[in-house]
Structures are given as C-alpha cells and as structure tokens.
Amino acid sequence: MSGVVSILKKEFREIWRDPYTLGIAIFLPLVLLLLFAYALNLDVKDIPMGVVDLDRSPESRLYIQVFVNTGSFDLKYYPATPDEAKRLLDRGKAQVVVLIPPNFSRTLAGGGTAVVQTLVDGTFPTSARVVQGYVDAINDAFTARLLAEHFASLGPGESLVAPAVMAVPQIRYNPALKSANFIVPGLIGVILMSFPPLLSALAIVREKERGSIQQIFVSPLRPWAFIVGKLIPYMIIAFGELVLILLTARYWFRVPMAGSVWLFLLASVPYVIGTVSIGLLVSTLTRSQLAAMLLALVLTFMPSFLFSGFMFPIFTMPTLLQIYSYFFPARYFTEITYGVFLKGVGLEVWLTQLAILALYTVALVTLASLRFKKKVG
C-alpha cells in the first residue's frame, strides 16, 4: 500500500507542476461540450420558405398564414412561377417552396381535396424530414380547422359525421422535442471517453520516452500498485470534468434531470474508472506519445461517438454493428444517462448496464496490470 501512496504523491506533484496541462484537462471538455451542443443542434427554426400562390384567394392567404404563425418558417420569397421557385431551391435560398394551385379555394368550397405541392431541399436528409413533418402537421391542422368550421355551420342534428379514429399523440420524456435535452446528456459519455484515457495514457508513455520509468522497473513496486497509483489522480480529474459538465448541462443549457443526480454520480464511478483504465492499457501497448494518442482516439472517441447511441440509434444499424456496439462501455453509460436525465428511471431499469460497466472496469484494470507486469519482466 505504501507503494501506491508513493506513486500517488509523485503523480500529484507531476500534475501540479504542469498547471497548463491540468487547465486543459479541466476546461477543454467544457469547450468541447459547448461546441458540440451548439453545432449539433437538431432543432429546425427560421426555415427559408417561398410560396407560389396561383390562386390568390382569401383561403390561400389563410393557408399561407398558418405556416407563418408557427414561427418555424421564414416566408421570404413569392416567386411567380414554379420554375422560378425551383431556381430558388437550386441556389439554396429557400429550403421549402409551397405551390398552391389556381383552383385551391374553388376545390375547398366544393368539398373536394385541394392538392398543394411542397418542394423540400433534401440535401440534408435530417432537416428535410423535419421540414416535411412540419408541413404535414400544418396540413392536418388546416384540415381540422376547416372541418370544425364545416360542422359548426351545420344544424345540431346534422353534424353526424365524425372521424372514425382520432389519434391523441403523447410524446414522453422530451415533450418539447428540444435537441439540447438529447444532445447534451449524450455528450457526457463521449467527452469522458475522450480526455481521461488520453491523459492517463500520455502520463505513462511520457515517462517511457524520458526513461524515468526505468526507476519503476528496477524498484520492488508491484505492477498493480503502479497502475492504481497512476489511476487515482486521473480518476479524480475525470470526476471533476464530469461535475463541471453536469453543472453546465443543468444550469447553462437548462437540461432537465428527471432522475436522481446522486444516483447518476454513483453510476458514473465505474465508467470514469473504466475510461482512465483504457488509457493505462493503451500506455502498456505503445512506446511513443504519438502512437498512444492515435490508439486512444481509435479505441475511445470514435467508438463512443458512433456506437453509443448518441448520434445514431443503435437499432437502425446492421445486426453485426449492433453486436459490435456491445463491446464499448459508452453504450451502457449512454443508456444510463438517458434513463436518468430524460426518463427518471433508477437502478431497477439500468442495474444490468451498471453491472457490465463494473465488470468492464475490473477487467481493464486487471489487464493493464498484467500487461505492465510483462514489461517489468
């Protein structure tokens, strides 16, 4: 145990002597959180819109006004012809153009179905799907409004026709559909998987490059004591990063937390230790800082970004990649994070994920100790 304390003191002294690196370790994750949270905003607002109104009737103007009243569309263009509207799309000035036919009001008055064409720029599929969803919702609202006026104009005994099925949607966990409520919690696992492994890996590889690690090799210090002594300081730094990110998510981005913050911090412990352990394992596999950085990025940041369920739903991936995602701890931690932040669920739901993270961490620390032992030998 005295060996662990000695390594701890030495490592804390090294960290304290390099405040520049310590500052980067603490505040760079915060910068990354702000950049990603704002850059990955999936909310679609102020959509540049054009309207070709070939009917020019009170009904067509009422229909256009429904788009404006939503606050999501910025009606900037009134092209005279469909060809002019297509040129707006070609130049990227409008993302959606609505074409109202000349018989729009006459068709509505006759009880028919008016066909309105919407041209949506599909260059960015995600935003195009959101825009199309807005258009569909507006059409449904406009139709419901006309039906309500029609039924109201009928006598008390005549309004016998009613929809056979009425859907009453309820969006749970994120009813406002704010992308920040999804993006920011998802970034916690990705950021923690980026910096702590890098710092811990570079700490040991740097000693290899300087040659100071030879003193450890010739000392009676056990490998596990060296690994634990290196792990604890960077685990404390990683936990400090986590608290800073949590405070920013809660009080800067106003992300609600439906579950217990203390339970979440407790569940974060194995994940934080696991991220630092990955760095320690990487340090036993590489001899230069450049190689350690590259390997750490390949093993941590990229998989956590792609296979944690943060950017892409895992169930939409091919079966082979879904199985592949089980090998990365970020997947389990992201499930816990969304469960706590959005769903408010506790241990009864994510106990399995927590147990897997704990096993993962024990396996990583053991493997790093064994690998370092081989180096001593």
Side-chain angles (χ1 to χ4, degrees), residues 10 13 17 27 39-40 49 65 68 83 87 110 184 223 238 246 270 277 296 308 326 353:
K10 172 181 172 297
R13 272 199 303 271
R17 286 173 182 168
F27 291 105
L40 294 178
M49 174 184 175
Q65 192 60 39
V68 177
D83 287 339
R87 284 195 289 275
V184 175
L246 272 180
S277 303
S308 65
Y326 283 109
Q353 288 88 337

Side-chain angles (χ1 to χ4, degrees), residues 19 81 95 111 125 210 220 264 291 309 321 370:
T81 65
Q95 193 171 2
R210 291 173 179 169
F264 177 71
L321 291 183
L370 292 174

Side-chain angles (χ1 to χ4, degrees), residues 89-137:
L89 288 172
D90 292 341
R91 291 198 293 269
K93 292 189 173 181
Q95 193 171 2
V96 58
V97 175
V98 178
L99 305 178
I100 300 177
N103 56 352
F104 180 78
S105 57
R106 191 168 58 250
T107 304
L108 292 180
T113 301
V115 178
V116 176
Q117 187 178 23
T118 54
L119 305 177
V120 180
D121 184 348
T123 306
F124 299 99
T126 303
S127 59
R129 277 193 289 269
V130 174
V131 171
Q132 187 57 51
Y134 286 168
V135 172
D136 291 342

Side-chain angles (χ1 to χ4, degrees), residues 76-350:
K76 302 169 69 173
Y77 305 102
Y78 293 90
T81 65
D83 287 339
E84 190 178 338
K86 289 175 184 174
R87 284 195 289 275
L88 284 175
L89 288 172
D90 292 341
R91 291 198 293 269
K93 292 189 173 181
Q95 193 171 2
V96 58
V97 175
V98 178
L99 305 178
I100 300 177
N103 56 352
F104 180 78
S105 57
R106 191 168 58 250
T107 304
L108 292 180
T113 301
V115 178
V116 176
Q117 187 178 23
T118 54
L119 305 177
V120 180
D121 184 348
T123 306
F124 299 99
T126 303
S127 59
R129 277 193 289 269
V130 174
V131 171
Q132 187 57 51
Y134 286 168
V135 172
D136 291 342
I138 288 170
N139 285 334
D140 291 344
F142 187 74
T143 302
R145 180 176 175 175
L146 291 181
L147 285 174
E149 292 175 356
H150 172 69
F151 288 139
S153 67
L154 297 176
E158 296 175 288
S159 53
L160 300 177
V161 180
V165 178
M166 177 178 290
V168 182
Q170 183 187 40
I171 299 174
R172 303 191 65 189
Y173 311 131
N174 186 12
L177 294 178
K178 286 181 63 178
S179 64
N181 293 350
F182 169 78
I183 295 290
V184 175
L187 280 171
I188 296 175
V190 175
I191 293 174
L192 285 178
M193 189 52 82
S194 306
F195 290 97
L198 201 57
L199 290 173
S200 57
L202 292 179
I204 295 182
V205 176
R206 193 162 46 235
E207 287 198 41
K208 287 183 180 179
E209 288 185 342
R210 291 173 179 169
S212 57
I213 196 127
Q214 297 299 326
Q215 299 173 9
I216 302 296
F217 288 168
V218 298
S219 72
L221 187 69
R222 293 180 177 275
W224 69 265
F226 178 77
I227 292 297
V228 172
K230 285 286 186 182
L231 187 149
I232 292 175
Y234 293 100
M235 185 191 76
I236 294 173
I237 292 175
F239 220 79
E241 291 176 353
L242 171 64
V243 172
L244 193 60
I245 291 171
L246 272 180
L247 291 174
T248 306
R250 192 70 187 86
Y251 297 105
W252 180 267
F253 290 103
R254 304 287 180 186
V255 177
M257 177 177 270
S260 167
V261 64
W262 298 111
L263 203 56
F264 177 71
L265 290 174
L266 182 67
S268 303
V269 171
Y271 184 71
V272 167
I273 298 175
T275 59
V276 179
S277 303
I278 291 175
L280 297 177
L281 181 61
V282 167
S283 71
T284 66
L285 300 170
T286 54
R287 293 180 179 275
S288 69
Q289 294 189 58
L290 179 61
M293 287 177 61
L294 292 175
L295 187 58
L297 284 175
V298 170
L299 292 179
T300 57
F301 182 73
M302 289 171 60
S304 65
F305 204 81
L306 295 175
F307 300 111
S308 65
F310 157 62
M311 276 302 294
F312 312 103
I314 293 176
F315 67 86
T316 62
M317 298 178 182
T319 304
L320 190 62
L321 291 183
Q322 290 187 36
I323 296 172
Y324 186 62
S325 69
Y326 283 109
F327 291 97
F328 300 101
R331 169 181 177 147
Y332 308 105
F333 186 71
T334 301
E335 289 177 358
I336 292 174
T337 304
Y338 285 139
V340 174
F341 268 86
L342 299 180
K343 298 181 179 180
V345 295
L347 272 174
E348 72 280 1
V349 174
W350 41 262

